[in-house]
Amino acid sequence: MTAAPFLMLALLVLLLPVTGALMAATPFLMPRRECFAVTVPGGAAADPVLRRLKARYALIVGAATLLVTAAAVITLLANLVEVTVAIVAVGLVAVSLGGYGLMLYFRHKVRARKEAQGWVAAGTRSAALVGDKPSRFGGTCSSCRSSCCAWPCASSATMPFPTRYRGR
């Protein structure tokens, strides 16, 4: 194989560790008040159980990524182009879907921990989305019942979500 196709294939193989690293880092990139998409108190970031769950997730995703990447590199160096492409394709899907499935599993664990600790919402916070263009549907605002040039009404896009937590 010449240098150009080898380099292109090597760059394709490089997608595996990049994808795996991003998947493994996802729980650590979330806000402190979230753990596997479950809202928790701010102080729960130091909870040893939640920290172990994050570390275990990163270890499993990292190990799977390392195995698939090693297989792809070995086949690349053995000049097995079709096998390398197949490993990369299957590996990317497996790491992505497997990481997502694992995240759902750990989300269930975090929700159980949240319930066991008695972490509940003590207040709400609202956010509004206001468009900068008129609605393409036109007509009357469904929230305030006025014909405000068919602009979306901010009150129709308000959504409450928990902000503070209290223990038992």
Side-chain angles (χ1 to χ4, degrees):
M1 176 177 354
T2 61
F6 180 82
L7 182 60
M8 288 175 46
L9 205 51
L11 289 174
L12 185 65
V13 169
L14 187 62
L15 284 175
L16 283 166
V18 170
T19 301
L22 288 173
M23 288 295 295
T26 298
F28 300 99
L29 298 175
M30 290 182 179
R32 292 178 52 92
R33 298 176 57 90
E34 286 185 23
C35 184
F36 293 105
V38 176
T39 308
V40 295
D47 185 33
V49 173
L50 297 184
R51 293 177 73 175
R52 273 195 309 269
L53 291 176
K54 287 181 180 182
R56 190 176 311 151
Y57 172 83
L59 182 67
I60 293 169
V61 171
T65 301
L66 186 64
L67 289 173
V68 174
T69 303
V73 168
I74 289 169
T75 58
L76 176 65
L77 295 176
N79 206 16
L80 302 171
V81 177
E82 294 85 6
V83 177
T84 303
V85 172
I87 288 174
V88 169
V90 171
L92 284 172
V93 171
V95 167
S96 299
L97 292 180
Y100 179 72
L102 198 58
M103 192 170 287
L104 291 177
Y105 171 77
F106 282 109
R107 174 181 163 75
H108 174 73
K109 295 278 192 186
V110 171
R111 290 178 76 188
R113 175 74 174 166
K114 178 179 176 177
E115 187 176 315
Q117 293 296 314
W119 297 330
V120 293
T124 59
R125 178 174 50 174
S126 296
L129 173 67
V130 180
D132 60 346
K133 295 181 182 177
S135 170
R136 62 182 183 176
F137 301 111
T140 306
C141 175
S142 62
S143 181
C144 66
R145 304 282 183 227
S146 68
S147 57
C148 49
C149 300
W151 286 82
C153 182
S155 62
S156 65
T158 303
M159 181 180 75
F161 53 93
T163 57
R164 291 180 291 153
Y165 287 83
R166 57 181 162 76
R168 287 184 185 218

